[in-house]
Amino acid sequence: MTTRACGFVIFRRMQGVVEYLLLQVSYGEYHWSPPKGHVDPGESDMETALRETKEEAGLLPNDLNIFENVKQELNYEANGKPKIVIYWLAELLNIDKVIQLSCEHQAYKWLPLEEARSIAKYQDMQDTLKKFNDYITKNLL
Ligand SMILES: Nc1ncnc2c1ncn2[C@@H]1O[C@H](COP(=O)(O)OP(=O)(O)OP(=O)(O)OP(=O)(O)OC[C@H]2O[C@@H](n3cnc4c(N)ncnc43)[C@H](O)[C@@H]2O)[C@@H](O)[C@H]1O
């Protein structure tokens, strides 16, 4: 059975520089990823992304401008099971908003594209960040 998870690649514009939010898990390989998590029964993908972003980063829907038509799907194996992860692009509107982590994460960073890609580690996550960055560069700057 395939595991499904959803979240947001969140960016902010900091003095002209686009930065991406990555969270470091507090278990296992201590890997970094955008806020995301498993889809609960009866939840839509977007409801999951919003719930997980609130739980993991303390960000509410009105903190974000969500680009519903800009999304990427990742497919990989996690803990021996196939996993699908859907990310939408979202912009943090108030750049001073404080990130509030849950116990699932031990750190967060706002990083420009290449540094974000570097700590994201996995090729498909790196490609996703690049594709979202291309969209931002072409349409929002
Ligand atoms: N080892 C552990 N010890 C204690 N509690 C744990 C745990 N693993 C999960 N939990 C608990 O499980 C719950 C997770 O719930 P959720 O918060 O709902 O779900 P998630 O972000 O999708 O979880 P996870 O961290 O497992 O996912 P990811 O795909 O990034 O990561 C899953 C695996 O896939 C790998 N991975 C991540 N991105 C990948 C990619 N793009 N390509 C290939 N592998 C990737 C990761 O390195 C990791 O090994 C939490 O309550 C958490 O505390």
Side-chain angles (χ1 to χ4, degrees):
M1 176 142 167
T2 302
T3 307
R4 190 176 186 87
C6 302
F8 294 114
V9 168
I10 300 173
F11 73 97
R12 68 178 184 182
R13 303 181 214 210
M14 198 64 168
Q15 295 171 341
V17 177
V18 173
E19 296 178 330
Y20 296 90
L21 176 64
L22 290 173
L23 314 179
Q24 184 181 32
V25 299
S26 51
Y27 50 81
E29 300 161 21
Y30 306 103
H31 62 286
W32 294 81
S33 77
K36 59 118 175 52
H38 296 137
V39 177
D40 283 345
E43 238 180 7
S44 70
D45 289 348
M46 181 58 77
E47 285 169 342
T48 300
L50 291 167
R51 175 180 54 74
E52 291 284 347
T53 299
K54 182 180 171 196
E55 288 173 7
E56 296 186 348
L59 298 177
L60 303 172
N62 62 9
D63 291 319
L64 303 171
N65 181 17
I66 296 165
F67 298 87
E68 289 196 45
N69 59 336
V70 187
K71 81 182 198 184
Q72 290 289 318
E73 179 179 315
L74 279 65
N75 290 272
Y76 55 92
E77 193 164 290
N79 309 313
K81 288 201 296 190
K83 182 167 184 176
I84 296 173
V85 183
I86 309 285
Y87 286 113
W88 282 275
L89 182 65
E91 179 172 8
L92 180 67
L93 296 172
N94 173 6
I95 59 168
D96 296 324
K97 177 87 183 186
V98 175
I99 301 302
Q100 292 179 308
L101 297 179
S102 72
C103 59
E104 285 180 37
H105 294 96
Q106 61 181 21
Y108 74 89
K109 286 185 178 179
W110 287 101
L111 295 172
L113 178 65
E114 288 311 325
E115 288 171 56
R117 292 180 81 209
S118 170
I119 68 165
K121 182 171 138 182
Y122 296 103
Q123 186 64 50
D124 54 359
M125 191 66 239
Q126 294 174 343
D127 293 346
T128 292
L129 288 165
K130 174 76 168 64
K131 282 178 185 155
F132 283 148
N133 196 75
D134 287 348
Y135 178 88
I136 294 166
T137 304
K138 194 170 167 197
N139 298 287
L140 304 178
L141 298 183

